[in-house]
Amino acid sequence: MISVLVAGGVAMVVALLATPLFINFLVTKQYGQFIRQDGPTAHYTKRGTPTMGGVVIIGATLIGWAVAALASGNVPSASAVLVLFLMTGLGVVGFLDDFIKISRQRSLGLSARWKIVGQGAVGITFAVLALQFPDATMRTPASTKISFIRDTGLDLAFAGATVGAILFVIWANFLITAWSNAVNLTDGLDGLATGASLIVFGAYVIVCVWQFNQRCALTAGARCYATRDPLDMAVVAAAITGACFGFLWWNASPAKIFMGDTGSLALGGALAGMSIVTRTEVLAAIIGGLFVIVVLSDVIQIGFFKMTGRRVFKMAPLHHHFELSGWGEVTIVIRFWLIAGLFVALGVGIFYAEWVTG
């Protein structure tokens, strides 16, 4: 359990100390954010703020995890490596998107097609490998069964292993695309996505530690958790939490740096991977409920406008609606953090209640 604390502490310190150094580097290179022209006018003052801060989040996470692994002397698990691969791979896609925005002096980066290709390549690789690497009990990092708090009876391999593998790749990539875009859409106000991610991954530390203490190797029965590497996933979740904590120090309003698509795609990918390997794919939609609400507001706005020519919100995603309604940015961020906390409390409560009631 000490490794969980080490990962979180090291990642936090690295992010806290490295972020201002990275800010100075970006300022020197004049790598600043470009603002969408149809956004709230208050955002124009943010033009030129250094972006691509997700590089620090990813780096701090990897360092925190690596130091914890070295300190414990344990061999890195397949689940941890795969989730970190997914996080880093999507971070690279986001980095390319951010870099194009900066180099071409515009608010649009990679085209939708190439972003999907990049996300798909990383996601498919993750999904295929996640069904490999069985441990001594023949458990692989992922399962073809749809999971809520643990695997359910809904198995994608209903027509055989090959069909199951194909359907799982599709399902996993849906989750990866959905979560990475959800966090990306939420990253519209100073500290909003970083703070919400900190809360969500903090909850996953609790979930993974509980799964480790109640794993089937120790506690046989219907209420045990059949996940491959619960302790290592707690270490990964703690590292991401610590990295977000350290980065938030500089990303809080007024932000000295933005995470950019580098960070938002990486964090969304990490959340998707975490939900898959911990067998909490549906529960994640409750724990990360704020992200779900934000992405749904965008879907509703677009769908309603195409059908009626009218808008439900003054602007989507949802936080911009409240900006145009006169709410202050800090007020919106804090209230959205509170909402994120309520969803986390609900999700963790359901997780615990299911274990108690069996």
Side-chain angles (χ1 to χ4, degrees):
M1 292 299 179
I2 294 177
S3 59
V4 176
L5 298 176
V6 170
V10 170
M12 180 185 69
V13 171
V14 170
L16 192 62
L17 298 180
T19 302
L21 299 178
F22 193 56
I23 291 172
N24 291 335
F25 169 77
L26 294 173
V27 169
T28 301
K29 295 293 184 179
Q30 296 184 331
Y31 289 166
Q33 176 71 38
F34 289 85
I35 306 300
R36 54 186 286 191
Q37 297 301 310
D38 60 338
T41 55
H43 286 213
Y44 295 156
T45 60
K46 300 180 181 183
R47 183 181 178 91
T49 302
T51 188
M52 297 191 294
V55 169
V56 175
I57 296 176
I58 297 170
T61 297
L62 294 175
I63 292 173
W65 169 76
V67 170
L70 289 173
S72 66
N74 294 329
V75 177
S77 69
S79 299
V81 172
L82 284 171
V83 171
L84 291 172
F85 160 76
L86 182 59
M87 180 183 187
T88 305
L90 290 182
V92 170
V93 175
F95 178 85
L96 293 175
D97 190 46
D98 287 333
F99 188 78
I100 290 173
K101 293 175 186 176
I102 294 166
S103 61
R104 297 186 180 179
Q105 303 282 301
R106 66 182 192 182
S107 61
L108 297 176
L110 280 175
S111 65
R113 175 186 299 178
W114 285 109
K115 186 177 287 189
I116 291 173
V117 168
Q119 290 176 316
V122 176
I124 290 171
T125 302
F126 166 84
V128 170
L129 293 178
L131 292 177
Q132 313 303 317
F133 308 107
D135 62 8
T137 62
M138 298 309 294
R139 288 195 187 95
T140 54
S143 166
T144 57
K145 294 181 178 180
I146 304 298
S147 61
F148 177 38
I149 293 174
R150 48 173 57 81
D151 283 341
T152 67
L154 182 57
D155 194 343
L156 298 175
F158 62 91
T162 302
V163 171
I166 294 172
L167 291 178
F168 171 76
V169 169
I170 295 172
W171 168 242
N173 276 269
F174 165 75
L175 293 175
I176 292 166
T177 301
W179 280 117
S180 58
N181 288 327
V183 178
N184 183 253
L185 286 172
T186 306
D187 184 34
L189 300 179
D190 293 356
L192 177 55
T194 309
S197 297
L198 187 160
I199 297 169
V200 168
F201 283 103
Y204 263 103
V205 175
I206 298 172
V207 168
C208 293
V209 168
W210 187 267
Q211 287 182 336
F212 175 72
N213 289 331
Q214 304 297 330
R215 64 192 185 278
C216 292
L218 289 181
T219 309
R223 291 190 293 179
C224 70
Y225 297 98
T227 55
R228 189 186 189 282
D229 307 296
L231 182 58
D232 280 357
M233 293 318 303
V235 171
V236 172
I240 297 173
T241 302
C244 287
F245 193 102
F247 183 75
L248 183 59
W249 185 270
W250 304 100
N251 183 231
S253 183
K256 301 296 189 295
I257 186 172
F258 300 138
M259 70 166 68
D261 283 10
T262 309
S264 59
L265 295 185
L267 289 173
L271 180 52
M274 187 78 63
S275 72
I276 291 170
V277 301
T278 61
R279 310 294 200 269
T280 56
E281 294 160 352
V282 177
L283 182 67
I286 300 174
I287 293 177
L290 175 67
F291 298 129
V292 176
I293 288 176
V294 169
V295 77
L296 283 178
S297 71
D298 208 51
V299 172
I300 291 170
Q301 182 86 324
I302 294 172
F304 193 79
F305 184 79
K306 287 184 176 181
M307 289 189 297
T308 66
R310 294 181 295 173
R311 292 178 171 84
V312 176
F313 307 106
K314 293 181 179 180
M315 184 178 178
L318 188 60
H319 41 273
H320 292 320
H321 167 81
F322 289 110
E323 270 194 295
L324 295 178
S325 297
W327 290 24
E329 180 174 9
V330 174
T331 300
I332 297 170
V333 170
I334 292 176
R335 288 177 178 173
F336 273 44
W337 284 350
L338 292 173
I339 293 171
L342 288 174
F343 274 113
V344 161
L346 177 61
V348 173
I350 292 173
F351 176 82
Y352 178 72
E354 190 275 343
W355 181 84
V356 170
T357 60

